[in-house]
Amino acid sequence: MINSKYFFQGFSCIKKMDSPAIALGTCFIAIGSLLKNLGFSIQESIFSTLLTYALPGSLVMAESLLVGASLINIFLAVWLVNARLYPMTVSLMPLLMHESQPKWKYYLSCHFIAVSAWLIMKSNHEAVEKKNRIDFWIGIGTATWTVAIIGTIIGFLASDYLNKDMMIGLAIVNPVYFSCMMLGAMKTIQISLSIILGAILGPLFFFISPEWSILFGGFIAGTIAFFVGELNVK
Amino acid sequence: MSSSIVYAILVTSFATYLSRFLGVISAEKIKETSKWFRWFNCLAYSTLAALIARAIIFPAGVLSESDYLTRLIVIISSILIFHFTKRNLVYPTVFSAIILALLNNYFS
Protein backbone atom coordinates (compact mmCIF):
# COMPACT_ATOMS: atom_id res chain seq x y z
CA MET A 1 0.00 0.00 0.00
CA ILE A 2 2.57 2.57 1.17
CA ASN A 3 6.22 1.75 0.53
CA SER A 4 7.74 1.98 4.02
CA LYS A 5 11.27 2.63 2.69
CA TYR A 6 10.22 5.85 0.98
CA PHE A 7 7.76 6.76 3.72
CA PHE A 8 10.51 6.71 6.37
CA GLN A 9 12.95 8.42 4.00
CA GLY A 10 10.43 11.27 3.75
CA PHE A 11 9.67 11.15 7.47
CA SER A 12 13.37 11.54 8.31
CA CYS A 13 13.49 14.91 6.46
CA ILE A 14 12.35 16.36 9.77
CA LYS A 15 15.84 15.64 11.20
CA LYS A 16 17.78 17.35 8.41
CA MET A 17 19.50 20.76 8.54
CA ASP A 18 16.66 22.41 6.61
CA SER A 19 14.07 20.77 8.84
CA PRO A 20 10.97 22.82 9.61
CA ALA A 21 10.61 21.12 13.01
CA ILE A 22 11.69 24.13 15.08
CA ALA A 23 9.75 26.73 13.07
CA LEU A 24 6.65 24.57 12.80
CA GLY A 25 6.85 23.47 16.44
CA THR A 26 7.15 27.01 17.82
CA CYS A 27 4.27 28.28 15.67
CA PHE A 28 1.97 25.56 16.86
CA ILE A 29 3.11 26.14 20.46
CA ALA A 30 1.87 29.71 19.96
CA ILE A 31 -1.38 28.40 18.41
CA GLY A 32 -1.91 25.90 21.26
CA SER A 33 -1.46 28.68 23.78
CA LEU A 34 -3.77 31.04 21.85
CA LEU A 35 -6.50 28.38 21.59
CA LYS A 36 -6.34 27.73 25.34
CA ASN A 37 -6.71 31.45 26.04
CA LEU A 38 -9.74 31.48 23.74
CA GLY A 39 -11.42 28.80 25.85
CA PHE A 40 -10.67 25.72 23.74
CA SER A 41 -10.22 22.41 25.60
CA ILE A 42 -7.10 20.33 24.89
CA GLN A 43 -9.19 17.93 22.78
CA GLU A 44 -10.58 20.81 20.70
CA SER A 45 -7.09 22.27 20.20
CA ILE A 46 -5.69 18.92 19.00
CA PHE A 47 -8.79 18.36 16.84
CA SER A 48 -8.26 21.82 15.25
CA THR A 49 -4.60 21.20 14.30
CA LEU A 50 -5.36 17.62 13.23
CA LEU A 51 -8.13 18.63 10.83
CA THR A 52 -6.99 22.06 9.64
CA TYR A 53 -3.19 21.91 9.66
CA ALA A 54 -2.74 25.39 8.22
CA LEU A 55 -1.47 28.11 10.49
CA PRO A 56 -3.02 31.25 8.92
CA GLY A 57 -6.40 29.49 8.77
CA SER A 58 -6.23 28.57 12.47
CA LEU A 59 -5.31 32.17 13.33
CA VAL A 60 -8.24 33.52 11.31
CA MET A 61 -10.61 31.04 12.98
CA ALA A 62 -9.36 32.12 16.42
CA GLU A 63 -9.77 35.82 15.62
CA SER A 64 -13.21 35.25 14.10
CA LEU A 65 -14.38 33.35 17.17
CA LEU A 66 -13.07 36.18 19.34
CA VAL A 67 -15.30 38.75 17.60
CA GLY A 68 -18.27 36.34 17.46
CA ALA A 69 -18.31 35.89 13.66
CA SER A 70 -20.90 33.58 12.06
CA LEU A 71 -19.93 30.19 10.57
CA ILE A 72 -20.37 31.56 7.03
CA ASN A 73 -18.03 34.46 7.82
CA ILE A 74 -15.48 32.03 9.30
CA PHE A 75 -15.73 29.86 6.17
CA LEU A 76 -15.18 32.79 3.80
CA ALA A 77 -12.35 34.32 5.83
CA VAL A 78 -10.52 30.98 6.15
CA TRP A 79 -11.11 30.06 2.50
CA LEU A 80 -9.68 33.42 1.38
CA VAL A 81 -6.57 33.20 3.54
CA ASN A 82 -5.97 29.55 2.61
CA ALA A 83 -6.74 29.89 -1.12
CA ARG A 84 -2.95 29.97 -1.65
CA LEU A 85 -3.10 26.19 -1.04
CA TYR A 86 -4.75 25.79 -4.47
CA PRO A 87 -1.77 26.93 -6.63
CA MET A 88 0.56 25.17 -4.18
CA THR A 89 -1.31 21.87 -4.76
CA VAL A 90 -1.48 22.34 -8.55
CA SER A 91 2.26 23.04 -8.67
CA LEU A 92 3.16 20.01 -6.53
CA MET A 93 0.82 17.14 -7.45
CA PRO A 94 1.96 16.73 -11.11
CA LEU A 95 5.43 15.99 -9.69
CA LEU A 96 3.99 13.19 -7.52
CA MET A 97 1.37 11.62 -9.81
CA HIS A 98 2.13 8.20 -11.29
CA GLU A 99 -0.28 5.84 -13.03
CA SER A 100 0.75 2.90 -10.82
CA GLN A 101 -0.35 4.67 -7.64
CA PRO A 102 -3.98 4.69 -6.37
CA LYS A 103 -5.82 8.03 -6.46
CA TRP A 104 -6.86 7.91 -2.80
CA LYS A 105 -3.23 8.59 -1.84
CA TYR A 106 -3.39 11.96 -3.60
CA TYR A 107 -6.80 12.93 -2.22
CA LEU A 108 -5.82 12.06 1.36
CA SER A 109 -2.23 13.30 1.32
CA CYS A 110 -3.18 16.71 -0.10
CA HIS A 111 -4.18 17.46 3.51
CA PHE A 112 -0.43 17.69 4.25
CA ILE A 113 0.05 20.59 1.83
CA ALA A 114 1.36 23.44 3.95
CA VAL A 115 4.32 25.75 3.36
CA SER A 116 6.87 23.70 5.32
CA ALA A 117 6.17 20.28 3.77
CA TRP A 118 5.64 21.83 0.33
CA LEU A 119 9.04 23.58 0.33
CA ILE A 120 10.82 20.40 1.46
CA MET A 121 9.14 18.31 -1.24
CA LYS A 122 9.86 20.92 -3.92
CA SER A 123 13.57 20.91 -3.11
CA ASN A 124 13.88 17.10 -2.73
CA HIS A 125 11.57 15.59 -5.36
CA GLU A 126 14.32 15.01 -7.93
CA ALA A 127 16.15 12.68 -5.53
CA VAL A 128 13.25 10.17 -5.61
CA GLU A 129 11.90 8.26 -8.64
CA LYS A 130 8.46 9.51 -9.69
CA LYS A 131 6.75 6.22 -8.85
CA ASN A 132 7.77 6.47 -5.19
CA ARG A 133 7.41 10.21 -4.68
CA ILE A 134 3.88 9.99 -3.25
CA ASP A 135 5.05 7.64 -0.45
CA PHE A 136 8.01 9.95 0.21
CA TRP A 137 5.55 12.87 0.35
CA ILE A 138 3.23 11.03 2.78
CA GLY A 139 6.31 10.51 5.00
CA ILE A 140 7.18 14.24 4.96
CA GLY A 141 3.54 15.19 5.58
CA THR A 142 3.11 12.76 8.47
CA ALA A 143 6.29 14.08 10.11
CA THR A 144 5.34 17.77 9.84
CA TRP A 145 1.74 17.01 10.88
CA THR A 146 3.01 15.15 13.97
CA VAL A 147 5.27 18.09 14.92
CA ALA A 148 2.30 20.47 14.56
CA ILE A 149 0.12 18.33 16.84
CA ILE A 150 2.86 17.93 19.46
CA GLY A 151 3.51 21.71 19.29
CA THR A 152 -0.20 22.41 19.88
CA ILE A 153 -0.23 20.13 22.95
CA ILE A 154 2.94 21.74 24.38
CA GLY A 155 1.55 25.24 23.73
CA PHE A 156 -1.74 24.36 25.41
CA LEU A 157 -0.03 22.89 28.48
CA ALA A 158 2.63 25.64 28.72
CA SER A 159 0.16 28.47 28.12
CA ASP A 160 0.17 29.67 31.75
CA TYR A 161 3.98 29.91 31.76
CA LEU A 162 4.37 31.86 28.51
CA ASN A 163 4.34 35.64 28.88
CA LYS A 164 3.58 38.12 26.07
CA ASP A 165 7.26 38.63 25.12
CA MET A 166 7.82 34.87 24.81
CA MET A 167 4.72 34.55 22.62
CA ILE A 168 5.96 37.37 20.37
CA GLY A 169 9.36 35.66 20.16
CA LEU A 170 7.70 32.38 19.13
CA ALA A 171 5.49 34.11 16.55
CA ILE A 172 8.46 35.58 14.60
CA VAL A 173 10.07 32.17 14.01
CA ASN A 174 7.64 31.20 11.25
CA PRO A 175 8.18 34.31 9.03
CA VAL A 176 11.96 34.05 9.58
CA TYR A 177 12.05 30.36 8.67
CA PHE A 178 9.94 30.83 5.54
CA SER A 179 11.87 33.94 4.44
CA CYS A 180 15.11 31.91 4.61
CA MET A 181 13.53 28.93 2.82
CA MET A 182 12.21 31.21 0.06
CA LEU A 183 15.65 32.78 -0.39
CA GLY A 184 17.07 29.28 -0.73
CA ALA A 185 14.46 28.46 -3.41
CA MET A 186 15.44 31.42 -5.65
CA LYS A 187 17.26 29.37 -8.31
CA THR A 188 15.57 30.44 -11.56
CA ILE A 189 14.47 33.83 -12.93
CA GLN A 190 10.80 32.85 -12.76
CA ILE A 191 10.92 31.75 -9.13
CA SER A 192 13.19 34.62 -7.99
CA LEU A 193 10.96 37.21 -9.66
CA SER A 194 7.81 35.54 -8.29
CA ILE A 195 9.19 35.78 -4.75
CA ILE A 196 10.50 39.36 -5.05
CA LEU A 197 7.36 40.73 -6.73
CA GLY A 198 5.07 38.77 -4.39
CA ALA A 199 6.87 40.21 -1.35
CA ILE A 200 6.39 43.74 -2.74
CA LEU A 201 2.85 43.50 -4.13
CA GLY A 202 1.33 41.48 -1.24
CA PRO A 203 1.82 44.26 1.35
CA LEU A 204 1.06 46.99 -1.25
CA PHE A 205 -2.35 45.50 -2.03
CA PHE A 206 -3.06 45.47 1.71
CA PHE A 207 -3.77 49.22 1.40
CA ILE A 208 -6.46 48.50 -1.21
CA SER A 209 -8.02 45.34 0.23
CA PRO A 210 -6.60 43.57 3.32
CA GLU A 211 -8.69 40.43 2.66
CA TRP A 212 -7.72 40.03 -1.00
CA SER A 213 -4.15 41.41 -0.80
CA ILE A 214 -2.41 38.00 -0.77
CA LEU A 215 -4.44 36.64 -3.68
CA PHE A 216 -4.34 39.80 -5.82
CA GLY A 217 -0.67 40.52 -5.05
CA GLY A 218 0.32 36.88 -5.56
CA PHE A 219 -1.67 36.50 -8.79
CA ILE A 220 -0.26 39.64 -10.44
CA ALA A 221 3.31 39.00 -9.22
CA GLY A 222 3.26 35.34 -10.33
CA THR A 223 1.78 36.15 -13.74
CA ILE A 224 4.37 38.89 -14.44
CA ALA A 225 7.19 36.58 -13.32
CA PHE A 226 5.85 33.77 -15.55
CA PHE A 227 5.79 35.94 -18.69
CA VAL A 228 9.20 37.50 -17.98
CA GLY A 229 10.65 34.01 -17.44
CA GLU A 230 9.06 32.65 -20.64
CA LEU A 231 10.39 35.59 -22.68
CA ASN A 232 13.82 35.09 -21.17
CA VAL A 233 13.86 31.40 -22.15
CA LYS A 234 12.93 32.27 -25.75
CA MET B 1 -16.62 19.94 23.72
CA SER B 2 -18.51 23.17 23.09
CA SER B 3 -20.64 22.75 19.95
CA SER B 4 -19.88 26.26 18.57
CA ILE B 5 -16.12 25.59 18.75
CA VAL B 6 -16.54 22.17 17.11
CA TYR B 7 -18.61 23.68 14.29
CA ALA B 8 -15.99 26.45 13.82
CA ILE B 9 -13.22 23.80 13.59
CA LEU B 10 -15.23 21.74 11.08
CA VAL B 11 -15.99 24.80 8.93
CA THR B 12 -12.31 25.88 9.06
CA SER B 13 -11.16 22.37 8.09
CA PHE B 14 -13.61 22.20 5.20
CA ALA B 15 -12.62 25.66 3.89
CA THR B 16 -8.94 24.63 4.05
CA TYR B 17 -9.34 21.16 2.52
CA LEU B 18 -11.43 22.57 -0.33
CA SER B 19 -8.47 24.43 -1.88
CA ARG B 20 -6.24 21.35 -1.51
CA PHE B 21 -8.90 19.02 -2.98
CA LEU B 22 -9.63 21.30 -5.96
CA GLY B 23 -5.87 21.54 -6.49
CA VAL B 24 -5.58 17.74 -6.84
CA ILE B 25 -8.48 17.64 -9.34
CA SER B 26 -6.90 20.42 -11.45
CA ALA B 27 -3.45 18.81 -11.22
CA GLU B 28 -4.74 15.60 -12.89
CA LYS B 29 -5.00 17.49 -16.18
CA ILE B 30 -1.67 19.35 -15.94
CA LYS B 31 1.67 17.92 -17.05
CA GLU B 32 4.81 18.94 -15.17
CA THR B 33 6.42 20.09 -18.42
CA SER B 34 3.52 22.34 -19.47
CA LYS B 35 3.29 26.12 -19.38
CA TRP B 36 0.26 25.82 -17.06
CA PHE B 37 2.45 24.01 -14.54
CA ARG B 38 5.13 26.72 -14.73
CA TRP B 39 2.48 29.43 -14.31
CA PHE B 40 0.97 27.74 -11.25
CA ASN B 41 4.49 27.29 -9.87
CA CYS B 42 5.05 31.06 -10.17
CA LEU B 43 1.66 31.74 -8.57
CA ALA B 44 2.45 29.41 -5.66
CA TYR B 45 5.80 31.08 -4.90
CA SER B 46 4.47 34.63 -5.34
CA THR B 47 1.41 33.99 -3.15
CA LEU B 48 3.64 32.52 -0.44
CA ALA B 49 6.00 35.49 -0.65
CA ALA B 50 3.00 37.84 -0.42
CA LEU B 51 1.72 35.97 2.64
CA ILE B 52 5.10 36.03 4.42
CA ALA B 53 5.75 39.71 3.62
CA ARG B 54 2.27 40.58 4.86
CA ALA B 55 2.81 38.56 8.04
CA ILE B 56 5.96 40.59 8.73
CA ILE B 57 4.70 44.07 7.76
CA PHE B 58 1.02 43.77 8.76
CA PRO B 59 1.02 40.86 11.23
CA ALA B 60 -2.06 39.31 12.80
CA GLY B 61 -2.27 37.98 16.35
CA VAL B 62 0.36 38.52 19.03
CA LEU B 63 3.10 39.63 16.59
CA SER B 64 1.16 42.86 15.93
CA GLU B 65 2.01 43.93 19.50
CA SER B 66 5.72 44.18 18.62
CA ASP B 67 7.29 47.29 17.12
CA TYR B 68 7.50 47.39 13.29
CA LEU B 69 11.16 48.52 13.24
CA THR B 70 12.19 45.85 15.77
CA ARG B 71 10.57 43.15 13.64
CA LEU B 72 12.34 44.40 10.54
CA ILE B 73 15.75 44.48 12.29
CA VAL B 74 15.23 40.92 13.60
CA ILE B 75 14.18 39.62 10.15
CA ILE B 76 17.13 41.25 8.33
CA SER B 77 19.70 40.06 10.90
CA SER B 78 18.23 36.53 10.82
CA ILE B 79 18.52 36.45 7.02
CA LEU B 80 22.16 37.61 7.31
CA ILE B 81 22.84 34.83 9.84
CA PHE B 82 21.24 32.34 7.44
CA HIS B 83 23.54 33.59 4.68
CA PHE B 84 26.74 33.54 6.76
CA THR B 85 26.09 30.13 8.38
CA LYS B 86 25.99 28.39 4.99
CA ARG B 87 22.17 28.34 4.90
CA ASN B 88 21.71 26.71 8.29
CA LEU B 89 18.09 27.20 9.35
CA VAL B 90 18.45 26.43 13.05
CA TYR B 91 20.62 29.46 14.00
CA PRO B 92 18.45 32.21 12.44
CA THR B 93 15.18 30.75 13.76
CA VAL B 94 16.43 30.32 17.34
CA PHE B 95 18.17 33.73 17.21
CA SER B 96 15.03 35.51 15.99
CA ALA B 97 12.83 34.16 18.79
CA ILE B 98 15.29 35.07 21.57
CA ILE B 99 16.22 38.52 20.19
CA LEU B 100 12.66 39.64 19.46
CA ALA B 101 11.47 38.53 22.91
CA LEU B 102 14.38 40.41 24.55
CA LEU B 103 14.00 43.57 22.43
CA ASN B 104 10.28 43.64 22.96
CA ASN B 105 10.76 43.27 26.69
CA TYR B 106 13.41 46.05 26.71
CA PHE B 107 11.44 48.60 24.65
CA SER B 108 7.97 47.98 26.09
Side-chain angles (χ1 to χ4, degrees), chain B residues 90-107:
Chain B
V90 178
Y91 296 127
T93 44
V94 173
F95 165 85
S96 63
I98 296 170
I99 292 297
L100 187 65
L102 290 176
L103 287 177
N104 203 63
N105 180 269
Y106 183 76
F107 288 116

Side-chain angles (χ1 to χ4, degrees), chain A residues 196-214 216-218 220-221, chain B residues 49-51 53-55 57-58:
Chain A
I196 294 166
L197 289 177
I200 296 168
L201 293 183
L204 272 184
F205 274 91
F206 188 85
F207 293 107
I208 302 166
S209 167
E211 292 86 6
W212 290 87
S213 61
I214 296 168
F216 279 162
I220 293 171
Chain B
L51 176 77
R54 211 195 86 166
I57 299 169
F58 303 109

Side-chain angles (χ1 to χ4, degrees), chain A residues 71-138:
Chain A
L71 288 177
I72 292 173
N73 280 335
I74 294 177
F75 175 84
L76 288 173
V78 173
W79 180 75
L80 263 181
V81 82
N82 280 340
R84 75 200 147 80
L85 295 169
Y86 176 74
M88 283 170 69
T89 310
V90 180
S91 65
L92 183 72
M93 282 298 163
L95 302 174
L96 313 182
M97 285 179 168
H98 193 271
E99 63 270 17
S100 66
Q101 294 286 0
K103 284 193 174 179
W104 64 262
K105 284 190 182 180
Y106 302 97
Y107 287 109
L108 278 185
S109 71
C110 70
H111 178 63
F112 297 139
I113 292 183
V115 189
S116 45
W118 185 84
L119 282 170
I120 296 175
M121 191 65 213
K122 279 292 217 183
S123 57
N124 287 295
H125 73 272
E126 282 171 344
V128 183
E129 313 92 272
K130 199 168 183 192
K131 186 189 168 192
N132 299 311
R133 282 181 194 165
I134 187 66
D135 296 330
F136 182 76
W137 163 249
I138 293 172

Side-chain angles (χ1 to χ4, degrees), chain B residues 11-79:
Chain B
V11 162
T12 304
S13 312
F14 177 64
T16 308
Y17 184 72
L18 191 62
S19 297
R20 292 165 169 151
F21 176 76
L22 293 175
V24 179
I25 291 180
S26 308
E28 285 180 350
K29 294 160 195 142
I30 294 174
K31 285 185 181 169
E32 60 178 290
T33 48
S34 66
K35 283 189 177 181
W36 283 104
F37 178 77
R38 288 201 294 279
W39 181 54
F40 272 105
N41 204 32
C42 290
L43 290 185
Y45 277 104
S46 59
T47 315
L48 277 184
L51 176 77
I52 295 161
R54 211 195 86 166
I56 294 166
I57 299 169
F58 303 109
V62 71
L63 202 56
S64 61
E65 292 177 40
S66 65
D67 180 58
Y68 169 74
L69 197 64
T70 318
R71 278 199 310 269
L72 211 61
I73 292 168
V74 171
I75 292 278
I76 292 169
S77 19
S78 302
I79 288 173

Side-chain angles (χ1 to χ4, degrees), chain A:
Chain A
M1 214 154 78
I2 292 175
N3 187 320
S4 57
K5 180 188 162 195
Y6 292 97
F7 174 85
F8 285 112
Q9 199 180 324
F11 197 93
S12 64
C13 281
I14 207 76
K15 295 187 294 188
K16 284 187 179 173
M17 197 57 95
D18 61 350
S19 162
I22 292 177
L24 202 62
T26 52
C27 296
F28 278 92
I29 287 175
I31 281 284
S33 175
L34 176 73
L35 294 180
K36 188 185 180 185
N37 293 334
L38 275 174
F40 278 52
S41 66
I42 190 157
Q43 294 95 327
E44 287 162 347
S45 305
I46 295 170
F47 192 50
S48 170
T49 301
L50 200 75
L51 289 184
T52 307
Y53 184 50
L55 198 81
S58 301
L59 264 180
V60 166
M61 176 192 70
E63 285 175 354
S64 305
L65 278 173
L66 205 61
V67 296
S70 67
L71 288 177
I72 292 173
N73 280 335
I74 294 177
F75 175 84
L76 288 173
V78 173
W79 180 75
L80 263 181
V81 82
N82 280 340
R84 75 200 147 80
L85 295 169
Y86 176 74
M88 283 170 69
T89 310
V90 180
S91 65
L92 183 72
M93 282 298 163
L95 302 174
L96 313 182
M97 285 179 168
H98 193 271
E99 63 270 17
S100 66
Q101 294 286 0
K103 284 193 174 179
W104 64 262
K105 284 190 182 180
Y106 302 97
Y107 287 109
L108 278 185
S109 71
C110 70
H111 178 63
F112 297 139
I113 292 183
V115 189
S116 45
W118 185 84
L119 282 170
I120 296 175
M121 191 65 213
K122 279 292 217 183
S123 57
N124 287 295
H125 73 272
E126 282 171 344
V128 183
E129 313 92 272
K130 199 168 183 192
K131 186 189 168 192
N132 299 311
R133 282 181 194 165
I134 187 66
D135 296 330
F136 182 76
W137 163 249
I138 293 172
I140 295 175
T142 309
T144 50
W145 199 35
T146 309
V147 169
I149 293 164
I150 293 171
T152 307
I153 296 170
I154 294 173
F156 188 93
L157 298 176
S159 172
D160 296 338
Y161 307 99
L162 294 171
N163 64 27
K164 196 184 84 179
D165 295 325
M166 288 174 176
M167 291 288 284
I168 289 173
L170 290 176
I172 196 73
V173 173
N174 202 29
V176 165
Y177 173 79
F178 291 132
S179 301
C180 295
M181 282 290 271
M182 295 293 257
L183 280 177
M186 289 166 76
K187 287 171 185 161
T188 65
I189 289 180
Q190 271 185 333
I191 294 176
S192 306
L193 206 56
S194 300
I195 293 171
I196 294 166
L197 289 177
I200 296 168
L201 293 183
L204 272 184
F205 274 91
F206 188 85
F207 293 107
I208 302 166
S209 167
E211 292 86 6
W212 290 87
S213 61
I214 296 168
L215 288 185
F216 279 162
F219 181 82
I220 293 171
T223 307
I224 294 171
F226 168 74
F227 283 114
V228 171
E230 293 295 305
L231 285 174
N232 199 56
V233 169
K234 281 175 188 168

